[in-house]
Amino acid sequence: MLIGAHVSASGGLYNAVSNGEEIGAQCIQIFVGSPRTWKTPTLGEKVLSRYREALANSEVVQDAVVHASYLINLGSSDPDLFERSKDLLISTVDVACAIEAYGVVLHLGSHKGHGLDAVEAQLADVFEEVGERLPRSSRTKLLLENTAGAGGTIGGSLEEVERILQLGAKRARVGLCIDTQHIFAYGYDLRNPEDRGRTIDKLSRFLDAVDCVHLNDSKSKCGGLHDRHENLGEGEIGEDALAAFLGASIFANSLVFLEVPGDGSGPRSSDVEAAKRLLTASG
Ligand SMILES: [Zn+2]
Ligand SMILES: [Zn+2]
């Protein structure tokens, strides 16, 4: 299990490595473009190799994932928006492959209440294209993130997550990213052993291992559906529940990323320390 955080890559992708080192992150999650614009910058070979070199030389940071833009909506019924979303995802996948990232973490978007059946065909289409795009020689995979559920976002329930993973696995290299805040906000209570055990059983039924974890406490109540992250131990879930949940064997080899607010500018070294303490307690 590597423990790290989402870090800024502004000013150059390679800065993300030193930003990770500064807070003691063993793995980093980055945006390769602004998460709120449609543009993925085409990164020149110079930038890419400088990044690869920084990562190879780092004694702290050992692995990385890319988080795709929040604008992507693969469940959109607007053909234009759907095509733009697919293009942006594919250009993000290309960058992730070029920097040999472990994966691309993706929010699928929203079906706006129409249900998964309504968008299954277009998701299959995207997985197909991404699958063709991922070089066999690369290890990069698509990491589908579970959602908190507000606004008809796809992948809130574990039943939906299972169906999407099955849909994807036939067409591309896919894996799962479990966000602890999202799963709790959707309604999976991690605080008592019975509910926690049921959730772990559900996951274990369709999955041997969870590739990636977003380790966050929650400002939202259980079942509140809001995507509102909180610092570890300062939210509704609490450190003990998080430690007990992530002690399950399906998380033994996960890459763990903090996406907590810190003091307003993201995860600090004290947050990474807290995560390491918490996960040592869980193991
Ligand atoms: Zn995310
Ligand atoms: Zn997340």
Side-chain angles (χ1 to χ4, degrees):
M1 191 182 249
L2 295 179
I3 301 160
H6 186 95
V7 295
S8 166
S10 70
L13 214 52
Y14 37 82
N15 288 337
V17 178
S18 45
N19 289 337
E21 283 171 345
E22 247 162 57
I23 57 169
Q26 297 166 320
C27 50
I28 53 174
Q29 174 178 274
I30 52 178
F31 292 124
V32 292
S34 163
R36 304 204 186 272
T37 67
W38 284 103
K39 226 169 132 326
T40 296
T42 32
L43 300 171
E45 189 46 46
K46 226 173 169 174
V47 174
L48 295 174
S49 61
R50 206 168 147 192
Y51 165 85
R52 283 192 295 252
E53 204 177 308
L55 185 61
N57 289 333
S58 177
E59 283 171 15
V60 183
V61 183
Q62 294 165 51
D63 213 342
V65 297
V66 170
H67 196 301
S69 167
Y70 293 127
L71 296 181
I72 290 174
N73 185 1
L74 302 172
S76 176
S77 53
D78 174 347
D80 246 23
L81 187 57
F82 173 69
E83 285 302 324
R84 285 172 85 185
S85 295
K86 191 162 71 171
D87 289 350
L88 183 53
L89 174 62
I90 285 171
S91 60
T92 307
V93 166
D94 286 346
V95 175
C97 288
I99 61 169
E100 292 154 26
Y102 179 76
V104 174
V105 177
L106 172 69
H107 302 197
L108 290 163
S110 167
H111 51 53
K112 301 256 162 36
H114 296 299
L116 188 55
D117 287 340
V119 298
E120 216 165 354
Q122 64 195 70
L123 292 183
D125 172 46
V126 174
F127 291 140
E128 195 84 45
E129 275 200 42
V130 170
E132 284 164 12
R133 197 81 178 193
L134 288 172
R136 287 205 188 284
S137 56
S138 103
R139 63 176 191 144
T140 306
K141 48 166 111 172
L142 210 50
L143 299 168
L144 307 169
E145 180 172 354
N146 68 305
T147 60
T153 49
I154 304 165
S157 77
L158 293 181
E159 287 74 19
E160 243 180 48
V161 166
E162 179 181 4
R163 275 178 64 190
I164 298 161
L165 279 178
Q166 282 172 352
L167 197 69
K170 291 184 199 135
R171 297 168 173 88
R173 274 196 303 279
V174 295
L176 180 61
C177 173
I178 286 285
D179 188 310
T180 55
Q181 193 276 323
H182 299 174
I183 201 169
F184 178 78
Y186 187 82
Y188 295 97
D189 199 339
L190 308 178
R191 292 169 300 188
N192 67 77
E194 295 76 31
D195 286 328
R196 195 163 57 228
R198 260 198 294 277
T199 303
I200 292 165
D201 283 350
K202 249 187 199 162
L203 276 169
S204 311
R205 233 170 281 152
F206 62 88
L207 212 67
D208 299 326
V210 175
D211 293 273
C212 173
V213 171
H214 286 165
L215 174 56
N216 304 306
D217 210 324
S218 179
K219 276 195 175 86
S220 169
K221 298 222 173 310
C222 182
L225 303 183
H226 296 296
D227 184 340
R228 301 277 313 277
H229 301 183
E230 183 53 283
N231 295 325
L232 301 179
E234 294 174 25
E236 296 284 328
I237 313 175
E239 290 186 298
D240 292 346
L242 287 168
F245 181 57
L246 296 175
S249 58
I250 45 169
F251 297 112
N253 295 310
S254 302
L255 297 178
V256 178
F257 303 93
L258 288 163
E259 298 178 316
V260 296
D263 54 16
S265 37
R268 305 154 292 188
S269 55
S270 58
D271 298 307
V272 177
E273 277 311 310
K276 287 178 182 168
R277 266 198 313 275
L278 183 153
L279 291 164
T280 317
S282 79

